[in-house]
Amino acid sequence: MDLNSASTVVLQVLTQATSQDTAVLKPAEEQLKQWETQPGFYSVLLNIFTNHTLDINVRWLAVLYFKNGIDRYWRRVAPHALSEEEKSTLRAGLITNFNEPINQIATQIAVLIAKVARLDCPRQWPELIPTLIESVKVQDDLRQHRALLTFYHVTKTLASKRLAADRKLFYDLASGIYSFACSLWNHHTDTFLQQVSSGNEAAVLSSLERTLLSLKVLRKLTVNGFVEPHKNMEVMGFLHGIFERLKQFLECSRSIGTDNVCRDRLEKTIILFTKVLLDFLDQHPFSFTPLIQRSLEFSVSYVFTEVGEGVTFERFIVQCMNLIKMIVKNYAYKPSKNFEDSSPETLEAHKIKMTFFTYPTLTEICRRLVSHYFLLTEEELTMWEEDPEGFTVEETGGDSWKYSLRPCTEVLFIDIFHEYNQTLTPVLLEMMQTLQGPTNVEDMNALLIKDAVYNAVGLAAYELFDSVDFDQWFKNQLLPELQVIHNRYKPLRRRVIWLIGQWISVKFKSDLRPMLYEAICNLLQDQDLVVRIETATTLKLTVDDFEFRTDQFLPYLETVFTLLFQLLQQVTECDTKMHVLHVLSCVIERVNMQIRPYVGCLVQYLPLLWKQSEEHNMLRCAILTTLIHLVQDTCFLYLSSSLFYFLFLMEPINASGILQKGLGADSKNLYPFLLPVIQLSTDVSQPPHVYLLEDGLELWLVTLENSPCITPELLRIFQNMSPLLELSSESLRTCFKIINGYIFLSSTEFLQTYAVGLCQSFCELLNEITTEGQVQVLKVVENALKVNPVLSPQMFQPILPCVFRGIIEGERYPVVMSTYLGVMGRVLLQNTSFFSSLLNEMAHKFNQEMDQLLGNMIEMWVDRMDNITQPERRKLSALALLSLLPSDNSVIQDKFCGIINISVEGLHDVMTEDPETGTYKDCMLMSHLEEPKVTEDEEPPTEQDKRKKMLALKDPVHTVSLQQFIYEKLKAQQELLGEQGFQSLMETVDTEIVTQLQEFLQGF
């Protein structure tokens, strides 16, 4: 591409690509895409974005195309890779001038230079770092800033490389430029501090920006540039100097007000200082040991004493608290129980910690955390009034403690209390003692202090286990406080019910739970929404506890469920509705069938909520979870068509009463709400499936398991299954369970509709998935053969030759071989004609006689019988091979000994001796008379459980006595061959096996 002629053309197309008119934009984008692989294209782009006279949007687009091209075509091995000559020209052009006037474009240029540096520096681009160092020394402000910006991005990128060779190169780079980086940072920092009082905001902001960039460079070099940084005097000198610099910058914040243009940059610089310390502590805990004392002194003084008043701000306090927390909790600083086993470095760090955290220091930290940082702020109380649901969605969990003040203070309190509980427990107990009895509702400060202390007691629940008689405290102090209904007392009502939730799994007598349930019922009717939501949370913790007893909860169930449902309707935010739904789901799950009379209102409301939550997929996940529990625990599928009409199409009615009358297996199953939900959730062509698929599949499965019969709608949603099987995701196991559910529910209708496509999917899966996955596929086929032995072999015919071949060739994985034999055993035992046609087909493929192939199969079957571990399959194998008798076929007679061996093994597996009569009985036989009793603690059988029971009553494994079957087959063989011929056949069997067989067949 000739640069002169090409520049005009490319410039024109780039201009068109910035157009808002799609008719102009689309062709231009296509043309640029075609040019991406043309030699010289990136040289043209470089000329365009470095030409400051051109339109900013065009230059911006040129930079982006150049940057994306580095990712795609800069590596030597990339398709259409740039030539070495062009890359050399581009590298030189990128660092010729650092004079880009537009900030956004300058940042993009710095990033793309860093991308090239990641691939080429220092081997192919040794001049980059020296050029940057020279450029940051120039007096021109713009060039200096742009070079410093590039220097930072290059350092950041090179520091992120993790291969050993790359790390070595960065160590060498850091050693070579660290002195310069330090002097550069000191220079810019001193310049800023001198100018800050001048009143020239532009000059102050400019020098502060350079201070920030140079500090960013130093951060990467310090944290990532040295193996043992404590041995480098300059590194440790810089780190020690941070504390003094921090004090200087914090003092500057007094003179730079919140409305000053420099304020934001100043706070970012202060935070960056703390990030250097935190990163260094994280990466080099032992190198940080000399800094522990000073870090703790600095952080504690600014956060927990008057020193920080007027200069600290929230983000800085969070960083200081995180520094204290990381030192307190650092495992590198914790000696072993046996001190002699600890390293000297650990013992030194531990000693420094113990010296600092004296009783007065710990006491002051604890008191300040509780009495100052735990107090609800004016902003929080205002939010409570104006946005109660937003107030309840607390920013907890995950890494929120790293960035937000309240979770940060609470996590710090937990860690310090855990580490120094013997010192701090008496302090907290003393604070509790001073707050006995009710608090004056007019004294808001006293109410907030009690709230803070109760918060501390809840957070330290596990540590206070032996020190607090919580049961007595609950009865004498907490319960009465819950009964104070004054509006100003609501912070304490909310805090007390939260506190009980924290202690419920730690120390709470079972006998007191009815009193708690009574209190929960009252608080779910509280005037304040925040109190009601917090009460619902504690209810979930109570119900979900290990010691929960349904009998204690049942008297309150109707009230609780009704009030929770009302709360679900009252709240408006997606997160809150999700939370209340999870509480409802938990209650449904724990009380099981007892919830039946009360779920009508919820069933009525969920379709409306589903419709309203179209844009909120996480809320829909919560709805799916609730539906799963409803289907599992209430069998609400059994609703008459008229009931569904009322529930979902008409005005709200007393659904609870109708639901009771509508329950029953005789009702026709309709799914006007449920099935569309499953359809949407499991349709991989719909975007919501990313969020809903897992729960949607679970709902699909429990729906099938609890359905008394198939419906066209339920059958139709199976169309979603083929794309799901193609995904081969972690959901495959659930998919197989769903397929089994359809087979058990209505095998004939299901197989006639979907078997062809399903068999094709299975054939593809068997070639792609793991051994365990292959077994799951074959188990589905085995179930189909068990349920429908006439139709299934024809439907899954393409898979069976693979199974046959696996047996003949002696599949090496025992679990796969066992499944192969199970599948073939079903075909041989229950569909002899199909087995014959399959044997004929395989004989042609193996180019063998049918009898010879059959003999080989029997021989392998006998040889690999030990691969089968399930008694049912072992009995099936014996029945299947015995079904070949009686026979005058010489091959079968030749394998007679092996068949008898397997049969006797099967007898050993299934026969149990009656101690009274001394006779043997097949323990696998089942009858219609056997109805196992379901205890109160056991879940009642699902409809699928009942179907499996009925299937077992038709299964030869459970209906045919192996003992009698052997006797009949041997007798028939004897009649076929005559006494002498049969005796000759029996002589081929080991005498010990014959003796065991005779013992089992006594009485026949």
Side-chain angles (χ1 to χ4, degrees), residues 667-696:
S667 302
K668 185 179 179 181
N669 287 318
L670 294 176
Y671 312 93
F673 167 52
L674 202 61
L675 298 189
V677 167
I678 296 172
Q679 166 72 34
L680 175 69
S681 305
T682 60
D683 185 351
V684 297
S685 66
Q686 298 291 332
H689 90 273
V690 175
Y691 304 94
L692 307 179
L693 180 59
E694 185 177 349
D695 291 319

Side-chain angles (χ1 to χ4, degrees), residues 46 206 227 274 291 382 485 528 538 607 690 726 729 746 802 922:
L46 176 64
S206 176
V227 180
T274 63
L291 300 164
T382 303
I485 60 173
D528 187 78
T538 293
V690 175
E726 288 177 17
S729 65
S746 179
C802 165
D922 190 332

Side-chain angles (χ1 to χ4, degrees), residues 958-970:
H958 297 292
T959 57
V960 175
S961 165
L962 180 58
Q963 186 184 29
Q964 185 170 348
F965 195 67
I966 293 173
Y967 172 76
E968 290 173 354
K969 289 296 182 180
L970 290 180

